[in-house]
Amino acid sequence: PFLKGFTAAAAGANILVGRDEAEAVHWLPDDYPYWVSDTDEQTIIDALQHARDTFMSDEWLSAQEAMQDIAARTADERIIRQLVEAVV
């Protein structure tokens, strides 16, 4: 599961994540601004700097919207409702 994504979403945080993570690809939109292309040290450093540089920008807020969507889709109330619907 995309546990780090669910945890970040619940905390209201954006994440840096690789496109090679299938669960992340499932949950996040293609245009999520903080995809990381690989795990090379310089790539990670550049991605962290990009996140710092875009903090509170439209790009940052777009990422926040994606994470808020994940938080809504994984909220306890929604999961409970889905379980109840499945057994009724």
Side-chain angles (χ1 to χ4, degrees):
F2 186 42
L3 191 55
K4 65 182 164 191
F6 303 149
T7 302
N14 293 336
I15 59 170
L16 299 174
V17 63
R19 282 196 181 271
D20 61 340
E21 294 191 33
E23 286 290 316
V25 171
H26 172 78
W27 286 91
L28 290 167
D30 285 339
D31 63 347
Y32 182 74
Y34 301 110
W35 289 112
V36 179
S37 59
D38 60 62
T39 57
D40 177 71
E41 181 179 1
Q42 190 58 52
T43 301
I44 302 299
I45 291 169
D46 292 346
L48 286 167
Q49 187 60 51
H50 177 69
R52 285 186 198 108
D53 292 345
T54 58
F55 181 69
M56 297 308 291
S57 69
D58 288 344
E59 188 171 3
W60 180 269
L61 297 175
S62 170
Q64 285 278 281
E65 287 178 18
M67 297 306 290
Q68 289 168 358
D69 178 63
I70 291 173
R73 291 164 55 196
T74 58
D76 290 345
E77 298 81 18
R78 185 162 180 181
I79 301 299
I80 291 167
R81 186 174 60 246
Q82 289 173 344
L83 286 171
V84 168
E85 290 171 358
V87 297
V88 173

